[in-house]
Amino acid sequence: MSNSINAKKIAQNSFFLYFRMLFQIIISLYTAKIVLHALGAENYGLYDVVAGIIVVLMFLNNSMTTSTLRYITNAVGIGSSTYVSKIFSISIVLHFLLGLLLIVLGSFVGLLYIRNILVFPLHMYEDVFWVFICALVSGFLMIIGVPFNALIIAQENMKAFAYISILDVVLKWLVAYSLCFFQHPHILILYAILLLLETLVVRCVYILYCYRNYREIRFVIVRNKDLYREVLAFMGWSTLGNLSLVANTQGINLLLNFFFGPIVNAARGFSFQVQSAITSFISSFQTAVNPQITKLYANGNIESMNNLILKSSRLSYLMMLFIFVPLIFQMDFYMKLWLSEVPDHTVLFAKILLCVSMVDAIANPMMIGAAATGNVKKYYIHIGCCLLLTLPVGYVVLKVFQIPEYIFVVYLIFTIIAQILRMNLCRELFDFSIRKFLDKVFVKVFICSIVAIILPFVFFKYVHPTLFHNLMFSTLSIIWVGVVVVILGLDKIERSWVNEKVCNFFKKV
């Protein structure tokens, strides 16, 4: 496959994923506002932390997802449908067993946590119990559906992936909208049941699509113990890395509940919704690029893989910069525009998580490169242990200062440290050049960031923040960032391509 064909496929897939992303952001943010109004801040925060218990218990699924996507993509890159069927079948078996483990573990550990540690009003025990049961079953359905999602992404069929994702958010919106017609003391239970049914429908759509469109890939009985052992070994080491991811999301959520109660959980829930929406802006681009990183490694084209990782890291950060600049100054304005009544701490939580997302934008392509090698033992031990330190250090910080924002500052610090470690580990795994990274990525994005912030900072400091001025500030900030990115952030070929597209646009106008 030539580089031009690769670039064309990335562009096409990015288009479908950006269409999906824009639709998801608009509907998801509106859905969250409806749910907040229907449930109230306390119920919303309670649902967020109870469902978060399942996410914590599903950390093994995150490892299996990474393993499944890596091995199926690698098999597709090799080009053997028989080998893809074997990997696909192994993944189905392992995910089904993992789903059963979640049910058993959740029934014991989760209920034990709810009864003895979780902070909530005692009269809401029945609601909490049934929300947990529904979330547990939803977790099982999500786990067994992972191989089918991975197959679609590995085949780079982002059009289907985008459409099914759109169906997912539309159904979630319908669930939220239906709450407006009910005034029931146990509305939290109704919400959990409806979300469970929505999850079931979407998983069925993924499964039916794969069986109808990839007929050459079928479930087969695999007796190759070495292949099972290889996939499980990769999963075992990636578990440590994914455990740290859970610690830095739901682990923080549980700590906030322990120290401050469900109201602060609601603030954390909204700030993570904002982060999720922002991250989806670049994850669409990275989802289109990631399969090709794995396939280039599978074909032994290490130099092209390294170049693609560097380009993806740089462009991902620069795309995030368009969102970062207006939001870092105007987060409170957009939060009020979105929620009307913004829970305390939400704005500062969201600003710190925005900074975390900027670091992750650069880091994600390197993670895919490391996973592509399959030799992840040392990588996940170092990165996982580093990120896991967020919880114990965060606990001490919260205990001493009693300020909820500080745990997110700790999260940001360890994210930066992990990125420094990641570069050194990637150099060992696939001859990643730190010098090239500093030259082609870090220096460019650092200069772009400084220049992009200067003008908006001056404007924001001296202009009265009315609705008109806020909207004008956002517009000018995006235009200014665009100018800075084109002049300072892009290479010669990319700049020429942008100039050509802009000229063609104005000619048509």
Side-chain angles (χ1 to χ4, degrees), residues 20 78 141 211 223 246 283 335 431 439 472 480 503 509:
R20 158 189 172 266
I78 292 172
L141 294 174
Y211 273 102
R223 295 184 174 85
V246 173
S283 67
M335 281 290 186
D431 199 28
D439 181 41
M472 183 173 67
W480 173 244
C503 291
V509 174

Side-chain angles (χ1 to χ4, degrees), residues 58 124 154 272 500:
M58 284 176 64
M124 294 191 68
F272 267 85
E500 179 185 346

Side-chain angles (χ1 to χ4, degrees), residues 415-480:
T415 300
I416 294 170
I417 294 172
Q419 173 57 14
I420 296 171
L421 290 173
R422 186 176 291 112
M423 290 187 294
N424 285 285
L425 292 165
C426 288
R427 179 176 58 182
E428 298 176 16
L429 285 172
F430 53 87
D431 199 28
F432 181 78
S433 173
I434 295 179
R435 184 185 62 80
K436 284 186 178 180
F437 171 83
L438 294 175
D439 181 41
K440 295 185 177 182
V441 179
F442 180 77
V443 172
K444 283 197 172 186
V445 302
F446 179 77
I447 293 174
C448 283
S449 300
I450 297 300
V451 177
I453 288 174
I454 292 175
L455 189 61
F457 174 77
V458 174
F459 183 92
F460 188 78
K461 187 174 182 179
Y462 294 105
V463 175
H464 185 66
T466 63
L467 175 63
F468 172 75
H469 287 141
N470 275 306
L471 294 175
M472 183 173 67
F473 175 84
S474 296
T475 304
L476 292 177
S477 295
I478 292 171
I479 294 172
W480 173 244

Side-chain angles (χ1 to χ4, degrees), residues 306-502:
N306 275 311
N307 290 334
L308 186 56
I309 289 172
L310 292 173
K311 184 182 288 288
S312 178
S313 293
R314 176 171 51 83
L315 293 179
S316 295
Y317 183 95
L318 293 176
M319 283 188 282
M320 283 285 291
L321 200 60
F322 282 92
I323 301 175
F324 178 84
V325 173
L327 282 186
I328 203 68
F329 292 107
Q330 296 179 287
M331 188 68 76
D332 53 345
F333 166 71
Y334 283 107
M335 281 290 186
K336 289 177 184 176
L337 197 64
W338 173 32
L339 298 175
S340 300
E341 295 183 12
V342 183
D344 293 341
H345 309 289
T346 306
V347 172
L348 280 177
F349 285 178
K351 284 186 177 183
I352 300 169
L353 288 174
L354 180 59
C355 295
V356 171
S357 296
M358 297 300 286
V359 180
D360 285 342
I362 289 178
N364 287 337
M366 296 182 200
M367 298 180 200
I368 300 301
T373 67
N375 183 22
V376 293
K377 176 180 177 180
K378 184 177 179 180
Y379 176 86
Y380 281 123
I381 288 176
H382 285 75
I383 301 300
C385 289
C386 175
L387 292 175
L388 278 173
L389 288 172
T390 299
L391 276 191
V393 174
Y395 175 85
V396 173
V397 168
L398 290 181
K399 189 77 173 176
V400 173
F401 296 101
Q402 294 289 311
I403 299 176
E405 285 82 2
Y406 281 9
I407 193 170
F408 290 98
V409 175
V410 173
Y411 180 19
L412 174 60
I413 291 170
F414 280 109
T415 300
I416 294 170
I417 294 172
Q419 173 57 14
I420 296 171
L421 290 173
R422 186 176 291 112
M423 290 187 294
N424 285 285
L425 292 165
C426 288
R427 179 176 58 182
E428 298 176 16
L429 285 172
F430 53 87
D431 199 28
F432 181 78
S433 173
I434 295 179
R435 184 185 62 80
K436 284 186 178 180
F437 171 83
L438 294 175
D439 181 41
K440 295 185 177 182
V441 179
F442 180 77
V443 172
K444 283 197 172 186
V445 302
F446 179 77
I447 293 174
C448 283
S449 300
I450 297 300
V451 177
I453 288 174
I454 292 175
L455 189 61
F457 174 77
V458 174
F459 183 92
F460 188 78
K461 187 174 182 179
Y462 294 105
V463 175
H464 185 66
T466 63
L467 175 63
F468 172 75
H469 287 141
N470 275 306
L471 294 175
M472 183 173 67
F473 175 84
S474 296
T475 304
L476 292 177
S477 295
I478 292 171
I479 294 172
W480 173 244
V481 171
V483 172
V484 172
V485 165
V486 170
I487 295 175
L488 301 176
L490 303 183
D491 60 31
K492 188 175 180 180
I493 296 175
E494 294 162 349
R495 198 178 299 115
S496 299
W497 182 85
V498 171
N499 289 335
E500 179 185 346
K501 295 298 179 183
V502 171

Side-chain angles (χ1 to χ4, degrees), residues 50-267:
V50 172
I53 297 172
I54 304 300
V55 177
V56 171
L57 294 173
M58 284 176 64
F59 74 91
L60 282 174
N61 180 56
N62 296 327
S63 307
M64 280 302 304
T65 302
T66 303
S67 305
T68 300
L69 186 55
R70 186 266 173 189
Y71 277 95
I72 291 180
T73 305
N74 186 70
V76 172
I78 292 172
S80 170
S81 60
T82 303
Y83 183 58
V84 176
S85 291
K86 288 182 178 180
I87 295 296
F88 180 67
S89 301
I90 288 173
S91 300
I92 290 177
V93 171
L94 293 177
H95 276 85
F96 182 77
L97 294 175
L98 182 61
L100 293 179
L101 178 62
L102 173 70
I103 296 294
V104 175
L105 193 63
S107 300
F108 177 71
V109 178
L111 292 176
L112 192 66
Y113 182 88
I114 287 173
R115 289 168 181 161
N116 297 284
I117 301 176
L118 187 66
V119 178
F120 64 92
L122 292 178
H123 69 275
M124 294 191 68
Y125 178 80
E126 184 181 354
D127 298 70
V128 170
F129 174 81
W130 286 109
V131 166
F132 178 77
I133 296 300
C134 290
L136 190 62
V137 178
S138 294
F140 174 80
L141 294 174
M142 291 175 66
I143 287 175
I144 63 176
V146 165
F148 301 93
N149 299 44
L151 181 60
I152 293 174
I153 294 174
Q155 296 284 356
E156 298 187 68
N157 188 357
M158 302 307 173
K159 182 177 181 180
F161 182 68
Y163 287 160
I164 298 175
S165 298
I166 288 172
L167 173 66
D168 187 17
V169 295
V170 170
L171 290 177
K172 282 186 171 66
W173 173 78
L174 288 174
V175 168
Y177 188 69
S178 67
L179 296 178
C180 300
F181 299 97
F182 295 94
Q183 295 294 329
H184 194 275
H186 298 293
I187 194 170
L188 202 58
I189 298 177
L190 174 65
Y191 180 55
I193 293 172
L194 291 175
L195 281 184
L196 170 59
L197 294 175
E198 186 274 336
T199 301
L200 176 62
V201 170
V202 173
R203 292 310 105 188
C204 289
V205 171
Y206 271 114
I207 292 170
L208 289 173
Y209 181 86
C210 288
Y211 273 102
R212 291 191 61 181
N213 291 274
Y214 303 117
R215 297 185 182 275
E216 74 281 5
I217 301 169
R218 283 291 177 262
F219 179 82
V220 294
I221 302 299
V222 181
R223 295 184 174 85
N224 188 337
K225 294 181 180 178
D226 291 336
L227 201 52
Y228 273 99
R229 193 178 297 114
E230 182 182 345
V231 176
L232 285 170
F234 185 98
M235 184 203 79
W237 291 115
S238 63
T239 296
L240 185 59
N242 285 291
L243 180 59
S244 65
L245 177 63
V246 173
N248 291 333
T249 52
Q250 299 306 323
I252 288 175
N253 201 22
L254 297 179
L255 273 182
L256 290 174
N257 176 264
F258 179 77
F259 280 99
F260 306 105
I263 296 296
V264 175
N265 287 127

Side-chain angles (χ1 to χ4, degrees), residues 287-302:
T287 302
V289 173
N290 291 346
Q292 294 203 13
I293 293 175
T294 303
K295 290 174 183 177
L296 285 170
Y297 183 85
N299 293 324
N301 198 342
I302 306 302

